[in-house]
Amino acid sequence: MSGEDGTEAGEETKVTNGLYIFDIEMRDGKRGQARGVVVLCDGRIMGGDSFFYYTGSYTFRNGKWRGDMIVNQHTEAVGRTLAFGGREVTCGFSGDYSAGGAEVDGMALVGKTTVTFTARLTLKDPIVRPV
């Protein structure tokens, strides 16, 4: 018997490998947001936005996932002050996922300051492997 998400009864929904669009919003009084793309594939994260690129890893189980990323700046932001500007930043996150996307709450250590954020990921193009 198949479930609503297309999995067989007793089979776990997995984080779908593919290309996602993400929206990040800083919290706790920090102002900032980002929109970009990220590829999730077999536990690896690779992606970026206008100023930063992200690499990392994740694990998942029972609709919950968690992971960590390293964020590096790749382009100067002339006339702008970026929360992560000029630093390699380590982030951790956890949240919920479904077949079409995910939501996370995360924390980044920027120097000696902790910055919290939320993000929403929307699957745009799944990776389909030949059988």
Side-chain angles (χ1 to χ4, degrees):
M1 174 178 278
S2 289
E4 287 181 35
D5 60 2
T7 61
E8 294 299 316
E11 182 181 331
E12 179 178 11
T13 300
K14 298 180 178 184
V15 172
T16 302
N17 288 338
L19 176 69
Y20 291 76
I21 291 176
F22 67 81
D23 289 291
I24 296 175
E25 191 76 35
M26 301 296 176
R27 295 192 324 208
D28 297 334
K30 294 287 183 187
R31 294 182 59 198
Q33 54 191 356
R35 184 172 175 93
V37 296
V38 66
V39 173
L40 302 179
C41 187
D42 297 335
R44 293 201 54 207
I45 301 167
M46 296 170 282
D49 60 37
S50 299
F51 301 105
F52 300 97
Y53 67 92
Y54 316 104
T55 57
S57 62
Y58 63 91
T59 59
F60 60 89
R61 183 180 174 126
N62 298 329
K64 303 286 185 193
W65 70 315
R66 64 182 337 108
D68 54 76
M69 300 183 307
I70 303 290
V71 178
N72 285 283
Q73 189 170 350
H74 62 72
T75 300
E76 287 298 315
V78 178
R80 297 181 77 176
T81 303
L82 303 175
F84 295 179
R87 297 187 167 134
E88 180 175 278
V89 176
T90 301
C91 303
F93 67 86
S94 62
D96 299 317
Y97 69 88
S98 65
E103 293 187 12
V104 301
D105 290 308
M107 184 181 311
L109 187 58
V110 183
K112 295 182 179 182
T113 303
T114 299
V115 176
T116 58
F117 61 90
T118 60
R120 179 181 304 257
L121 290 79
T122 304
L123 180 63
K124 288 299 178 181
D125 193 11
I127 296 172
V128 180
R129 296 193 172 128
V131 179

